[in-house]
Each structure stands twice: as structure tokens, then as C-alpha cells.
Amino acid sequence: MFELPSLPYEKEVLEPVISKRTLDFHYGKHHQKYVNTLNDLIEGTEFEGASLEDIIKKSKGPTFNNAAQVWNHTFYWKCMDSASKESSPSDALAKAIKDQWGSLKDFQEEFSKSATSLFGSGWVWLVQKEDGSLAIFQGQNAENPMSEGHNPVLTCDVWEHAYYLDYQNARAEYVKKFWDVVNWDFVSAQFEKK
Ligand code: MN
């Protein structure tokens, strides 16, 4: 049985970028629902007892969607922390970003553009490809870059439920503020893990 992982901070910590009310629903209701549905779906199947990563790599349809949504949300919470906690990309990540996009600002603009232009629901990711280079990965719905063999480094949830209570339909505004709460210490550690 999978359980909803605890949040790495209190629900008001991301304010004013993301409100406690959004986390009450997004973490407390949506993330919890994906966990519950996944448990129901895998009961009595070959996936009972498998790791979340294995289920993501081997399943399709509703099982994949719910397993990936469980993983994606857990990763997304970790990608953020209080805006008052200053963090910046590690030297290694900063260099890789500079090699790929010229500057951190140029990368952020590209990532934001990708997050804003994604049609419908999905996730935008910074990934490290198998050759070690960085790329922006635009994923529809529950898509997870591990399915393509990429190492996830950073993600932004652009499903409406991630921002509607705080920004209504203004996704671009949410994405712009998202950078204030990115936890570069966690993100850099994902890059160096590879
Ligand atoms: Mn979400």
C-alpha cells in the first residue's frame, strides 16, 4: 500500500506564491486521491508490492496515470521551499545551464514559455538526458520523463488545480512567481545524482 508522503514543510510556507488553501486541496485532496486510486488499481495485480518507479516504467492507462501523478507531486513539493530561504543552482548545475541556454535567466524564460504554452494539463520539467546534457521536457497529463530515460531535475505542475485558487486562469503569473519558491538545493542535488 502506498501512503501520501508528508510535505517537506508546513502548508503556509510557500505563501504568498502558493497559498495554504491551494495546498489543502492540491496536497490534501488531489495528491491523496491519486494515492488512494493507485492502491485500488494495483490490488491483486502484478503491480502489488512493486516500487512506484517500476509501476511508472511498466504500466499503462489509469495505473500509469495515478502512479505517475503520485510520483510527480511528491517531486514537485520537494522542488519548492519558502521564498525567504535563499538558494541558487550549484556550480555544476549553473555551468550546465549556462552551456545549454547561455544564462540562468534565458533558461528560466524558456522553461516559463514551455510551462505557459502547454495546452491543457501537464508538467514541465528540467531533465538530464542520458548523455548528461540538460533539456526542457513538456509532459502532457501525468507524463513523467523517466519513461523516456531522462533524469528529472526540476518540475512545475501546470494543471489548473495547481494555481486556480491563487491565480484563477493566469497561469503565466503562477509560473513567474514559481521561481521565487524553487528550492535550488534540492534541484541541484537531483542533477548531481546522475
Ligand atoms: Mn497537481
Side-chain angles (χ1 to χ4, degrees):
M1 288 283 277
F2 290 103
E3 280 178 20
L4 181 67
S6 46
L7 272 180
Y9 33 71
E10 298 299 319
K11 285 186 191 145
E12 53 279 347
V13 159
L14 303 177
E15 292 184 346
V17 175
I18 296 172
S19 66
K20 177 181 179 295
R21 186 165 144 77
T22 288
L23 283 193
D24 281 340
F25 283 91
H26 196 185
Y27 169 73
K29 306 279 186 201
H30 292 276
H31 197 179
Q32 178 73 67
K33 181 81 189 308
Y34 294 126
V35 172
N36 296 348
T37 306
L38 177 64
N39 284 329
D40 290 344
L41 286 166
I42 63 175
E43 199 183 335
T45 74
E46 56 175 313
F47 294 119
E48 203 173 330
S51 72
L52 202 48
E53 286 79 4
D54 268 353
I55 299 176
I56 290 170
K57 285 174 188 160
K58 294 173 187 163
S59 67
K60 288 193 172 82
T63 300
F64 169 81
N65 287 334
N66 284 279
Q69 284 293 78
V70 171
W71 195 98
N72 295 354
H73 282 92
T74 303
F75 190 83
Y76 168 67
W77 308 133
K78 291 180 184 168
C79 284
M80 301 183 287
D81 203 343
S82 167
S84 67
K85 277 193 195 161
E86 295 277 323
S87 69
S88 51
S90 66
D91 291 348
L93 179 58
K95 182 183 182 305
I97 287 174
K98 199 170 168 228
D99 288 347
Q100 192 69 39
W101 290 281
S103 71
L104 178 61
K105 191 169 165 280
D106 288 307
F107 156 68
Q108 287 174 312
E109 270 173 25
E110 279 304 308
F111 186 101
S112 299
K113 217 183 282 173
S114 186
T116 308
S117 66
L118 188 149
F119 186 79
S121 297
W123 299 80
V124 172
W125 305 77
L126 170 63
V127 300
Q128 195 172 11
K129 299 197 283 190
E130 295 203 81
D131 65 7
S133 66
L134 291 173
I136 293 167
F137 179 90
Q138 203 186 42
Q140 292 288 335
N141 301 315
E143 238 179 280
N144 180 297
M146 291 189 296
S147 306
E148 312 276 324
H150 304 320
N151 176 42
V153 177
L154 163 71
T155 196
C156 181
D157 185 348
V158 295
W159 283 56
E160 265 192 354
H161 66 220
Y163 59 87
Y164 202 83
L165 293 175
D166 297 325
Y167 301 91
Q168 286 73 54
N169 62 329
R171 187 195 288 178
E173 199 52 28
Y174 155 70
V175 172
K176 192 174 151 197
K177 300 274 176 60
F178 168 74
W179 296 110
D180 291 347
V181 290
V182 168
N183 177 356
W184 287 105
D185 295 334
F186 173 78
V187 173
S188 300
Q190 305 319 300
F191 173 71
E192 276 146 31
K193 224 163 68 177
K194 181 84 179 176

